[in-house]
Amino acid sequence: MKVGILETGGPPEPYEVPFGDYSAMFERLLGDGFDYAVVDVAAGALPASPENCYAWLVTGSAAGVYDDLPWIEPLKGFLRAAKGRAALIGVCFGHQVMAEAFGGKVVKSPKGWGVGLHTYEVMDRRPWMDGAPRVAVSATHQDQVVVLPPAATVFAASAFTPYGALAYDDQPAVSIQLHPEFDPAYSKALIESRRGTRFTDAEADAAIASLDAPNDHARVGEWLRRFLEGRR
């Protein structure tokens, strides 16, 4: 099964060597058995056709979906063109740009940053999920989906992020605001790099401490893998 990774960003340069780029993180998360192809969307590239891959995964990004960047609107157009022609997965920015492409709305939330280990309650169990009532996964975002796309159902969420994980009922597509692909060590390094700029010392300390708790990264990765395998 060929899975295309639409890279919309990458780690800060000092972290690329120790942790890998976003495509490498997703390949580790989803595991063997897929034929991966990487497209550098942030550099202006897009696949020639949605049928080039069985599924497309949209990564996270430092960009906001509302930013005036030349690659964002073409990406939305590609996602709309892919509807029903390929499976779709979105993570963080990918979650947000899918929501915008399919009729939702994303804003910079007045709630501020969600960072550290966040817990989402399962609200609508899907066939590719197991019986876990909740999942704890790394988060780092300020933007949030605030208007639900018409065909989307919330399958997991928190009070801080009420539209945190979406399943689309009119196409094979799922998305999540959290970062199951982020190793806790990478999340901690990223928080440290933003200490004093995006986060206060107190916020950074609390977020880093939270990442020492058990997490469900592998579980959510298995959900996404089973989602893909179930679409064969």
Side-chain angles (χ1 to χ4, degrees), residues 58 65 72 75-76 79 93-102:
V58 190
V65 297
I72 291 179
L75 173 59
K76 291 179 186 177
L79 293 171
F93 175 88
H95 168 75
Q96 297 161 9
V97 77
M98 281 176 58
E100 286 256 339
F102 297 120

Side-chain angles (χ1 to χ4, degrees), residues 100-146:
E100 286 256 339
F102 297 120
K105 179 69 175 176
V106 174
V107 301
K108 183 172 289 187
S109 174
K111 296 179 182 179
W113 280 92
V115 63
L117 198 69
H118 280 213
T119 298
Y120 281 12
E121 300 292 329
V122 172
M123 302 170 67
D124 183 53
R125 198 171 311 282
R126 297 288 164 144
W128 34 267
M129 298 165 68
D130 60 15
R134 63 191 60 85
V135 290
V137 177
S138 295
T140 176
H141 68 98
Q142 185 175 9
D143 295 348
Q144 291 206 35
V145 177
V146 293

Side-chain angles (χ1 to χ4, degrees), residues 173-224:
V174 298
S175 66
I176 187 166
Q177 180 62 63
L178 300 175
H179 278 287
E181 79 283 13
F182 280 8
D183 183 279
Y186 172 71
S187 290
K188 290 179 181 181
L190 190 62
I191 293 164
E192 283 291 0
S193 74
R194 295 169 171 174
R195 181 189 291 270
T197 54
R198 299 189 187 186
F199 315 129
T200 66
D201 283 340
E203 290 169 336
D205 289 343
I208 288 169
S210 74
L211 290 161
D212 288 328
N215 68 67
D216 294 290
H217 292 196
R219 182 191 299 275
V220 174
E222 183 62 21
W223 288 358
L224 298 179

Side-chain angles (χ1 to χ4, degrees), residues 80-95:
R80 286 189 286 266
K83 181 177 178 179
R85 299 164 67 186
L88 298 175
I89 293 174
V91 172
C92 197
F93 175 88
H95 168 75

